[in-house]
Amino acid sequence: MKRFILIVTLIILVGLGILYLTLKLPDAQREISDLDNSNFCGTNAFSTETSFEGRQIFNTNCAACHKLDQKMMGPPLRHISKKYDTLTILNFLHGEKTKIVNEDYENTCVNFPQLTKEDISLLLSYTN
Protein backbone atom coordinates (compact mmCIF):
# COMPACT_ATOMS: atom_id res chain seq x y z
CA MET A 1 0.00 0.00 0.00
CA LYS A 2 2.87 2.38 0.82
CA ARG A 3 4.43 1.60 -2.54
CA PHE A 4 1.16 2.44 -4.33
CA ILE A 5 0.91 5.82 -2.56
CA LEU A 6 4.53 6.61 -3.45
CA ILE A 7 3.95 5.82 -7.15
CA VAL A 8 0.75 7.91 -7.27
CA THR A 9 2.53 10.81 -5.56
CA LEU A 10 5.41 10.66 -8.06
CA ILE A 11 2.99 10.59 -10.99
CA ILE A 12 1.14 13.62 -9.63
CA LEU A 13 4.40 15.54 -9.04
CA VAL A 14 5.69 14.75 -12.53
CA GLY A 15 2.34 15.82 -14.00
CA LEU A 16 2.40 19.10 -12.09
CA GLY A 17 5.98 19.72 -13.26
CA ILE A 18 5.01 19.16 -16.88
CA LEU A 19 1.99 21.43 -16.47
CA TYR A 20 4.16 24.17 -14.98
CA LEU A 21 6.67 23.96 -17.85
CA THR A 22 3.89 23.99 -20.43
CA LEU A 23 2.42 27.16 -18.95
CA LYS A 24 5.82 28.89 -18.78
CA LEU A 25 6.74 28.06 -22.40
CA PRO A 26 4.77 30.94 -24.02
CA ASP A 27 6.58 33.41 -21.71
CA ALA A 28 9.95 32.02 -22.81
CA GLN A 29 8.94 32.29 -26.48
CA ARG A 30 7.80 35.89 -25.94
CA GLU A 31 11.14 36.75 -24.32
CA ILE A 32 12.97 35.32 -27.31
CA SER A 33 10.80 37.22 -29.80
CA ASP A 34 11.36 40.50 -27.92
CA LEU A 35 15.10 40.32 -28.58
CA ASP A 36 16.82 42.88 -30.75
CA ASN A 37 16.52 42.35 -34.53
CA SER A 38 20.17 41.45 -34.90
CA ASN A 39 21.96 39.54 -37.58
CA PHE A 40 21.84 35.80 -37.20
CA CYS A 41 23.83 33.66 -39.64
CA GLY A 42 24.00 36.56 -42.10
CA THR A 43 20.28 37.23 -42.18
CA ASN A 44 18.10 39.58 -40.20
CA ALA A 45 15.90 38.04 -37.54
CA PHE A 46 12.42 39.57 -37.48
CA SER A 47 10.25 39.62 -34.41
CA THR A 48 7.13 41.11 -35.93
CA GLU A 49 4.76 39.99 -38.62
CA THR A 50 4.88 43.42 -40.27
CA SER A 51 8.65 43.24 -40.67
CA PHE A 52 8.29 39.83 -42.27
CA GLU A 53 5.58 41.10 -44.64
CA GLY A 54 7.68 44.15 -45.54
CA ARG A 55 10.61 41.88 -46.32
CA GLN A 56 8.41 39.75 -48.58
CA ILE A 57 7.22 42.85 -50.44
CA PHE A 58 10.83 44.03 -50.82
CA ASN A 59 12.02 40.65 -52.09
CA THR A 60 9.12 40.34 -54.53
CA ASN A 61 9.21 43.85 -56.00
CA CYS A 62 12.52 45.58 -55.23
CA ALA A 63 15.28 43.03 -54.69
CA ALA A 64 15.92 42.50 -58.41
CA CYS A 65 17.37 46.02 -58.64
CA HIS A 66 17.99 47.14 -55.05
CA LYS A 67 19.68 46.01 -51.87
CA LEU A 68 19.23 47.62 -48.50
CA ASP A 69 22.82 48.72 -47.92
CA GLN A 70 24.69 48.27 -51.21
CA LYS A 71 24.53 49.82 -54.66
CA MET A 72 23.16 47.61 -57.40
CA MET A 73 21.29 48.53 -60.53
CA GLY A 74 19.39 50.90 -58.24
CA PRO A 75 20.46 52.80 -55.13
CA PRO A 76 20.39 51.23 -51.65
CA LEU A 77 16.98 51.61 -50.02
CA ARG A 78 17.93 51.61 -46.32
CA HIS A 79 16.26 54.64 -44.66
CA ILE A 80 14.72 55.82 -47.95
CA SER A 81 11.84 57.34 -46.00
CA LYS A 82 14.28 59.74 -44.32
CA LYS A 83 15.35 61.07 -47.74
CA TYR A 84 11.86 61.37 -49.26
CA ASP A 85 8.43 61.79 -47.73
CA THR A 86 5.96 58.91 -47.89
CA LEU A 87 3.63 60.66 -50.38
CA THR A 88 6.51 61.20 -52.83
CA ILE A 89 7.50 57.53 -52.57
CA LEU A 90 3.87 56.40 -52.98
CA ASN A 91 3.37 58.57 -56.08
CA PHE A 92 6.72 57.48 -57.52
CA LEU A 93 5.95 53.77 -57.13
CA HIS A 94 2.47 54.21 -58.58
CA GLY A 95 3.97 55.87 -61.68
CA GLU A 96 2.57 59.33 -61.16
CA LYS A 97 4.51 62.39 -62.29
CA THR A 98 6.76 62.53 -59.26
CA LYS A 99 10.48 62.38 -59.95
CA ILE A 100 13.11 61.12 -57.59
CA VAL A 101 16.42 62.38 -58.89
CA ASN A 102 19.63 60.51 -58.25
CA GLU A 103 22.78 61.58 -60.05
CA ASP A 104 24.43 58.15 -59.77
CA TYR A 105 21.68 56.25 -61.61
CA GLU A 106 20.28 56.83 -65.08
CA ASN A 107 17.73 54.02 -64.92
CA THR A 108 14.17 54.72 -63.92
CA CYS A 109 12.34 52.56 -61.44
CA VAL A 110 9.59 50.25 -62.61
CA ASN A 111 6.08 51.31 -61.57
CA PHE A 112 4.25 49.23 -58.98
CA PRO A 113 0.57 50.28 -59.18
CA GLN A 114 -0.46 46.99 -57.54
CA LEU A 115 1.13 48.00 -54.24
CA THR A 116 -1.41 49.37 -51.79
CA LYS A 117 -0.70 52.14 -49.30
CA GLU A 118 -0.46 49.47 -46.61
CA ASP A 119 2.06 47.50 -48.72
CA ILE A 120 4.21 50.60 -49.17
CA SER A 121 3.97 51.35 -45.44
CA LEU A 122 5.16 47.80 -44.66
CA LEU A 123 7.95 48.18 -47.22
CA LEU A 124 9.11 51.46 -45.68
CA SER A 125 9.04 50.04 -42.17
CA TYR A 126 11.21 47.16 -43.41
CA THR A 127 13.73 49.47 -45.09
CA ASN A 128 14.06 51.51 -41.91
Side-chain angles (χ1 to χ4, degrees), residues 32-82:
I32 290 170
S33 68
D34 289 342
L35 293 176
D36 178 13
N37 287 339
S38 58
N39 284 338
F40 178 74
C41 293
T43 62
N44 285 329
F46 297 102
S47 64
T48 64
E49 186 68 27
T50 57
S51 296
F52 180 75
E53 290 173 5
R55 181 180 184 189
Q56 286 182 319
I57 293 168
F58 179 85
N59 287 340
T60 302
N61 299 287
C62 310
C65 301
H66 298 277
K67 288 190 176 187
L68 286 178
D69 299 308
Q70 296 175 359
K71 292 182 178 183
M72 264 183 70
M73 182 185 283
L77 294 183
R78 174 83 65 198
H79 303 298
I80 192 75
S81 63
K82 291 182 181 178

Side-chain angles (χ1 to χ4, degrees), residues 10-120:
L10 284 174
I11 291 173
I12 290 172
L13 288 175
V14 169
L16 288 174
I18 291 172
L19 179 64
Y20 175 76
L21 291 175
T22 307
L23 294 176
K24 291 301 274 182
L25 185 61
D27 291 336
Q29 289 175 337
R30 192 174 313 110
E31 288 173 12
I32 290 170
S33 68
D34 289 342
L35 293 176
D36 178 13
N37 287 339
S38 58
N39 284 338
F40 178 74
C41 293
T43 62
N44 285 329
F46 297 102
S47 64
T48 64
E49 186 68 27
T50 57
S51 296
F52 180 75
E53 290 173 5
R55 181 180 184 189
Q56 286 182 319
I57 293 168
F58 179 85
N59 287 340
T60 302
N61 299 287
C62 310
C65 301
H66 298 277
K67 288 190 176 187
L68 286 178
D69 299 308
Q70 296 175 359
K71 292 182 178 183
M72 264 183 70
M73 182 185 283
L77 294 183
R78 174 83 65 198
H79 303 298
I80 192 75
S81 63
K82 291 182 181 178
K83 297 176 187 174
Y84 306 101
D85 64 283
T86 306
L87 185 60
T88 301
I89 294 170
L90 175 77
N91 290 336
F92 181 75
L93 291 175
H94 283 169
E96 298 176 15
K97 301 209 180 219
T98 304
K99 275 195 170 185
I100 294 182
V101 180
N102 191 323
E103 297 80 27
D104 297 336
Y105 298 92
E106 294 179 18
N107 300 334
T108 57
C109 189
V110 177
N111 297 330
F112 297 98
Q114 77 278 7
L115 293 178
T116 64
K117 290 179 183 178
E118 181 184 343
D119 291 340
I120 293 172

